């Protein structure tokens, strides 16, 4: 048996704040609100002495009824509630059950005879339709706490616990247009830019923020003076107390948040930063795996967490609709569903992204799906972007990536993968993906399409061709053109159209690569050639000039060295002959542990396919 808090209901109805009363639910009805179509549960509460027939379950607790965890007979510890006066005459007070702990169950019929006669509690949930609150009820809709308003306002600088600006702090999900005496404590999860508009009444500006607490999320809009007043103050990820703002039915076309209402700041709105933030969720996520995005339609919004495996440069495009220049940057994001997708950042976000960050975890909340060139993601103005967020999912995906995931066989949902985009713009290409054995180069007709194909492979150098591997190049910045020895101590560059007193060495090294399956020629330029030969170009050039026998040794010594290659395959026409030319984009030492994990994954995958 539980000890119910006798007399607590009367205290609540008298407007007192009762902390954690133990109450029993002795009746429950399912009511359909005609206005918003949402199901609400009306409960009769019993405190061992009296009962109150007008308890309303906060909608975010509905699932407890639907899963039969909360039912007639349940005993709860009511940790957070709101007592709303719906009318004074006759007196009608709704107790909204915002937060509670289910302690257990007692036979609802074992209670002593109630002082207020009620119908026999029924175990069956009944259906009852109630009329939505009519707008003229609004003036009557007063919070019980309103009579204490003056006292609270005096004490505003030191808000009593659970209040702000004289109002009790409510959960976001319990806000509605018929109750305006509230405060919330919420985290800003997104903030728009300031936009301007013009209508019949003239020009104006607006912005919006998205707010979250442990009960739900809501969008809030600010116009004109409120832009000046609050835009700078409200910062993403910070927590604020907010009271006094208008609530209206949300425009679902513009607002994808899970709330039927949205908020508009007004002249009376009070916002104040809040330092205690422990109990607030950071962000309300509905994460999908990248692999699942292939099942979503274009223009859907999704929340994704993944590792940025490669970063493109900032490029400029001209938008078709407005003929305006727009900056963009593409990221390739991968997660433990072993799929990758290209996400595009726009404008300031594209420029602000730090490409030197090594494989960061990125959170995109509300990224828009595109289906041009396979599936892609667009980071819309409403998308929340966080780098290395402190979330369990972020740590999971980072762990997966570092423990071999980066080496697994990644399927790229975006057909024009990042690699191509990065190479075209001269952007950095980092990270291996798309691992192949050399026989797959021909089998899969890599490089035979219109665009270059990129793949990674682990292979041995069989032979490095010494002849024509080095040339004298123009020392001019970014020139690298072949330079001609004038035999008068100067060197002529036709491109720069001038003579130089010096030159620099450049390398074009042709190597024959092999793995267990196949061999193939590939061209290495400068840095990749230096890695393979294990010597700097200038040093090698000096050996060549001085006819040092060590020059030949360098080339023979690199045979049977093994490297990880990132290769580019592209069809080229040379003397009317078309053939796939393969060049090395990066050459790195083999990480044998990673290589082992990659092979292990391939074996597991192969085993799975055989079942
Ligand atoms: Zn030059």
């Amino acid at each position: 048996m539980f000890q119910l808090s006798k007399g607590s209901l009367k205290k609540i109805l008298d407007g007192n704040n009762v902390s954690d009363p133990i109450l029993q639910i002795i009746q429950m009805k399912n009511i359909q609100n005609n206005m918003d179509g949402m199901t609400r549960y009306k409960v009769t509460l019993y405190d061992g002495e009296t009962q109150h027939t007008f308890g309303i379950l906060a909608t975010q607790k509905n699932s407890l009824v639907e899963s039969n965890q909360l039912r007639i007979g349940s005993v709860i510890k009511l940790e957070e509630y709101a007592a709303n006066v719906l009318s004074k005459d006759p007196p009608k007070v709704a107790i909204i059950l915002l937060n509670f702990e289910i302690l257990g169950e007692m036979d609802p019929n074992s209670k002593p005879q109630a002082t207020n006669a009620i119908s026999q509690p029924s175990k069956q949930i009944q259906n009852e339709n109630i009329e939505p609150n009519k707008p003229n009820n609004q003036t009557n809709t007063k919070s019980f706490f309103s009579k204490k308003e003056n006292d609270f306002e005096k004490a505003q600088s030191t808000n009593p616990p659970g209040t702000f600006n004289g109002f009790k702090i409510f959960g976001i999900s319990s806000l509605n247009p018929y109750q305006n005496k509230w405060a919330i404590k919420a985290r800003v999860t997104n903030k728009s830019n300031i936009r301007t508009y013009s209508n019949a009444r003239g020009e104006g500006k607006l912005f919006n923020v998205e707010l979250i607490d442990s009960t739900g999320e809501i969008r809030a809009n600010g116009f004109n003076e409120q832009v000046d007043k609050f835009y700078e103050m409200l910062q993403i990820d910070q927590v604020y107390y907010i009271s006094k703002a208008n609530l209206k039915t949300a425009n679902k076309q513009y607002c994808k948040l899970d709330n039927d209402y949205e908020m508009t700041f007004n002249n009376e709105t009070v916002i104040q930063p809040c330092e205690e933030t422990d109990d607030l969720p950071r962000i309300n996520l509905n994460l999908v795996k990248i692999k699942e995005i292939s099942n979503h339609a274009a223009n859907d919004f999704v929340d994704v967490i993944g590792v940025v495996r490669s970063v493109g440069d900032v490029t400029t495009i001209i938008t078709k609709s407005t003929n305006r220049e727009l900056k963009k940057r593409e990221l390739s994001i991968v997660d433990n569903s072993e799929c990758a997708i290209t996400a595009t950042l726009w404008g300031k976000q594209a420029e602000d992204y730090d490409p030197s960050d090594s494989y960061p975890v990125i959170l995109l909340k509300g990224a828009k799906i595109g289906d041009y060139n396979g599936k892609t993601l667009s980071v819309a103005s409403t998308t929340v972007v966080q780098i290395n967020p402190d979330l369990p999912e972020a740590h999971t995906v980072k762990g997966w990536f570092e423990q071999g995931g980066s080496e697994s066989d990644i399927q790229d949902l975006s057909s024009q993968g990042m690699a191509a985009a990065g190479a075209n713009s001269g952007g950095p290409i980092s990270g291996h993906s798309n691992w192949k054995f050399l026989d797959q180069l021909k089998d899969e007709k890599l490089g035979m399409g219109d665009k270059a194909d990129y793949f990674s492979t682990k292979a041995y150098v069989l032979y490095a061709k010494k002849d024509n591997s080095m040339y004298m190049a123009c020392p001019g910045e970014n020139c690298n053109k072949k330079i001609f020895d004038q035999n008068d101590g100067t060197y002529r560059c036709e491109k720069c159209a001038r003579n130089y007193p010096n030159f620099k060495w450049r390398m074009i090294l042709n190597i024959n690569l092999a793995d267990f399956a196949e061999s193939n020629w590939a061209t290495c330029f400068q840095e990749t050639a230096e890695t393979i030969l294990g010597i700097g170009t200038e040093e090698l050039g000096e050996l060549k000039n001085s006819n040092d026998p060590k020059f030949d040794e360098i080339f023979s010594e690199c045979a049977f060295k093994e490297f990880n290659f990132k290769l580019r395959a592209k069809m080229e026409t040379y003397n009317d002959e078309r053939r796939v030319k393969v060049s090395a984009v990066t050459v790195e030492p083999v990480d044998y542990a990673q290589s082992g994990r990659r092979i292990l994954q391939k074996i597991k995958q192969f085993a799975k396919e055989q079942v």
Side-chain angles (χ1 to χ4, degrees):
M1 287 291 278
F2 296 93
Q3 206 56 252
L4 299 178
S5 305
K6 284 186 182 175
S8 58
L9 283 172
K10 188 171 184 304
K11 283 183 195 157
I12 291 171
L13 296 175
D14 285 342
N16 297 305
N17 208 347
V18 182
S19 77
D20 299 346
I22 311 292
L23 301 169
Q24 187 182 20
I25 288 166
I26 57 170
Q27 194 171 5
M28 188 182 283
K29 283 178 182 177
N30 169 351
I31 54 178
Q32 197 77 32
N33 187 324
N34 291 339
M35 185 172 56
D36 59 18
M38 284 177 78
T39 295
R40 287 188 174 77
Y41 292 98
K42 184 179 170 189
V43 298
T44 299
L45 298 166
Y46 178 62
D47 66 2
E49 198 172 275
T50 56
Q51 61 187 42
H52 183 66
T53 57
F54 210 150
I56 300 280
L57 198 61
T59 50
Q60 72 269 19
K61 299 289 182 189
N62 281 2
S63 60
L64 292 174
V65 177
E66 280 139 21
S67 64
N68 204 30
Q69 287 170 272
L70 186 73
R71 54 192 165 193
I72 292 166
S74 289
V75 176
I76 60 169
K77 184 169 87 177
L78 185 57
E79 291 161 340
E80 198 185 344
Y81 66 91
N84 292 344
V85 180
L86 299 178
S87 77
K88 278 180 181 162
D89 194 16
K92 195 175 179 189
V93 178
I95 298 176
I96 317 290
L97 312 184
L98 296 170
N99 224 338
F100 51 83
E101 190 187 336
I102 301 171
L103 301 177
E105 222 173 336
M106 286 196 299
D107 182 354
N109 296 314
S110 71
K111 70 181 179 57
Q113 191 56 43
T115 46
N116 302 333
I118 54 152
S119 60
Q120 193 63 19
S122 158
K123 298 228 177 200
Q124 196 187 344
I125 294 177
Q126 301 159 5
N127 280 302
E128 180 188 71
N129 284 309
I130 57 162
E131 278 291 302
N133 290 322
K134 295 205 171 60
N136 60 5
N137 281 350
Q138 200 174 344
T139 47
N140 295 331
T141 309
K142 283 262 159 50
S143 161
F144 240 93
F145 302 92
S146 59
K147 60 186 171 191
K148 293 180 179 173
E149 199 173 315
N150 290 337
D151 295 338
F152 279 129
E153 271 171 5
K154 276 179 212 153
Q156 189 186 324
S157 54
T158 54
N159 290 300
T163 71
F164 170 69
N165 196 28
F167 302 120
K168 184 173 159 59
I169 289 168
F170 284 76
I172 283 176
S173 66
S174 66
L175 298 182
N176 63 67
Y178 307 105
Q179 209 289 82
N180 56 16
K181 304 280 185 183
W182 51 259
I184 57 168
K185 179 172 145 187
R187 190 187 298 276
V188 175
T189 55
N190 200 8
K191 181 170 88 163
S192 73
N193 294 322
I194 298 172
R195 298 189 299 278
T196 54
Y197 64 88
S198 69
N199 60 22
R201 283 178 292 172
E203 299 217 320
K205 56 186 174 181
L206 77 153
F207 80 107
N208 61 67
V209 289
E210 291 173 12
L211 303 167
I212 187 177
D213 71 7
S214 58
T215 71
E217 53 186 355
I218 194 165
R219 171 164 141 150
N221 307 298
F223 292 86
N224 303 319
E225 299 96 85
Q226 276 69 51
V227 176
D228 301 332
K229 210 162 150 190
F230 299 127
Y231 186 80
E232 283 308 317
M233 176 199 212
L234 291 169
Q235 295 294 329
I236 290 178
D237 220 31
Q238 298 300 304
V239 175
Y240 300 87
Y241 289 117
I242 301 173
S243 76
K244 289 259 185 189
N246 300 334
L247 286 155
K248 59 170 184 140
T249 303
N251 184 338
K252 288 286 178 183
Q253 192 186 341
Y254 298 112
C255 183
K256 59 193 186 303
L257 297 189
D258 183 19
N259 198 320
D260 294 329
Y261 302 113
E262 62 183 58
M263 185 185 290
T264 303
F265 300 141
N266 59 39
N267 290 333
E268 294 188 318
T269 301
V270 180
I271 303 180
Q272 192 176 299
C274 166
E275 266 152 36
E276 321 141 34
T277 63
D278 304 344
D279 54 336
L280 285 185
R282 300 201 77 81
I283 201 158
N284 200 9
L285 292 173
N286 189 9
L287 291 170
V288 302
K289 292 286 179 202
I290 290 173
K291 189 173 195 161
E292 293 165 23
I293 294 174
S294 52
N295 303 325
H296 283 255
N299 299 326
D300 272 6
F301 288 90
V302 286
D303 302 347
V304 171
I305 277 185
V307 174
V308 179
R309 63 171 184 160
S310 55
V311 182
D313 267 355
V314 175
T315 56
T316 305
I317 60 158
I318 308 288
T319 60
K320 278 182 202 147
S321 51
T322 59
N323 210 25
R324 201 161 47 98
E325 269 197 3
L326 192 58
K327 297 260 196 291
K328 65 178 251 190
R329 187 201 288 276
E330 291 184 335
L331 310 175
S332 180
I333 299 172
V334 63
D335 74 5
N336 50 3
S337 66
E338 301 196 338
C339 283
I341 194 164
T342 299
T344 307
L345 303 173
W346 302 96
K348 198 169 171 340
Q349 257 175 339
E351 293 180 278
D352 288 351
Y353 184 87
D354 180 5
S356 66
D357 219 346
S358 166
Y359 305 119
V361 174
I362 193 167
L363 163 68
L364 300 176
K365 176 178 161 58
K368 192 176 179 181
I369 298 176
D371 60 0
Y372 177 70
N373 286 335
K375 293 283 192 219
T376 54
L377 291 176
S378 181
V379 176
S381 61
T382 53
T383 309
V384 178
V385 181
Q386 283 187 13
I387 301 295
N388 293 323
D390 188 16
L391 295 168
E393 295 86 353
H395 300 304
T396 302
V397 75
K398 183 82 177 171
W400 164 81
F401 187 81
E402 285 175 349
Q403 285 155 34
S406 61
E407 304 295 316
S408 59
D409 208 354
I410 303 292
Q411 186 200 343
D412 200 331
L413 302 184
S414 313
S415 61
Q416 304 295 334
M418 258 308 301
N424 290 343
S425 60
I429 300 164
S430 54
H432 285 278
S433 61
N434 198 22
W435 286 90
K436 303 280 183 196
F437 298 114
L438 283 173
D439 57 341
Q440 291 173 283
L441 175 59
K442 286 192 187 81
D443 290 352
E444 298 179 12
K445 297 187 164 48
L446 298 179
M448 309 275 266
D450 295 336
K451 296 226 170 192
D453 285 316
Y454 290 80
F455 64 100
S456 294
T457 195
K458 179 169 75 82
Y460 289 97
V461 176
L462 289 189
Y463 175 72
K465 207 170 152 194
K466 187 176 61 187
D467 299 340
N468 301 322
S469 62
M470 305 198 75
Y471 70 96
M472 292 187 289
C474 171
E477 211 177 324
N478 298 325
C479 182
N480 290 338
K481 276 283 166 198
K482 192 169 179 178
I483 207 164
F484 297 94
D485 191 344
Q486 303 295 98
N487 292 319
D488 60 357
T490 67
Y491 304 87
R492 175 143 190 99
C493 173
E494 294 300 344
K495 190 184 173 208
C496 299
R498 57 167 283 194
N499 291 0
Y500 288 94
N502 60 336
F503 67 91
K504 66 184 180 191
W505 287 105
R506 295 285 299 173
M507 252 199 281
I508 303 179
L509 182 66
N510 282 305
I511 55 171
N512 194 242
L513 292 178
D515 63 10
F516 73 93
E518 185 58 277
S519 71
N520 209 91
W521 285 93
T523 308
C524 303
F525 298 94
Q526 204 68 6
E527 291 83 5
T528 50
E530 287 179 345
T531 304
I532 287 167
L533 296 178
I535 189 169
T537 309
E538 286 302 321
E539 199 184 333
L540 188 64
E542 275 168 33
L543 294 178
K544 180 181 162 74
N545 255 8
S546 57
N547 288 320
D548 194 316
K550 217 167 163 240
F551 181 75
D552 289 358
E553 283 170 26
I554 296 281
F555 284 84
S556 52
E557 274 171 7
C558 74
F560 304 109
K561 279 193 196 165
E562 197 177 25
F563 297 95
N564 280 343
F565 293 87
K566 181 158 193 159
L567 298 174
R568 174 184 192 267
K570 174 92 171 68
M571 182 69 82
E572 284 188 2
T573 306
Y574 186 73
N575 288 344
D576 288 338
E577 190 196 344
R578 282 167 64 78
R579 56 178 185 166
V580 174
K581 193 164 163 28
V582 177
S583 53
V585 181
T586 58
V587 176
E588 289 164 4
V590 176
D591 179 334
Y592 287 96
Q594 280 191 330
S595 167
R597 283 192 289 266
R598 195 170 64 243
I599 298 288
L600 200 58
Q601 268 185 335
K602 268 218 188 299
I603 293 169
K604 279 182 192 161
Q605 197 184 341
F606 184 72
K608 236 187 274 170
E609 283 163 10
Q610 300 307 304
V611 176

